Amino acid sequence: MGFHSQKPIHPTIRKCMQHLDVIKADDKTKQIVYMYMETLLRERDMIAASKEEAIESQIHN
């Protein structure tokens, strides 16, 4: 698993990477899976943030 950046890896992504190691996936496959999972997490976080902003907006108005 050669995807070490400065920020910690989400536990679900870490577990997925371990499973990819078990099935002996190549590095390119691991990179693609990692990138898709990171994108899903970012999208989830953006949706959660926008919902939170909408709730705060309703509270303050």
Side-chain angles (χ1 to χ4, degrees):
M1 198 167 40
F3 311 95
H4 297 290
S5 63
Q6 297 301 330
K7 73 177 194 171
I9 297 175
H10 188 279
T12 303
I13 296 176
R14 179 178 293 112
K15 189 70 170 176
C16 183
M17 294 295 107
Q18 289 171 344
H19 286 291
L20 290 172
D21 284 338
V22 168
I23 65 169
K24 297 181 179 10
D26 63 21
D27 286 343
K28 192 58 117 178
T29 300
K30 291 178 190 177
Q31 182 180 18
I32 291 167
V33 170
Y34 180 86
M35 289 172 20
Y36 272 109
M37 292 187 80
E38 276 288 331
T39 300
L40 286 172
L41 284 174
R42 274 196 302 278
E43 289 174 358
R44 181 204 61 183
D45 292 345
M46 286 174 33
I47 290 168
S50 69
K51 285 182 181 179
E52 187 175 307
E53 288 174 6
I55 292 169
E56 288 178 8
S57 175
Q58 289 176 351
I59 290 171
H60 294 291
N61 290 332

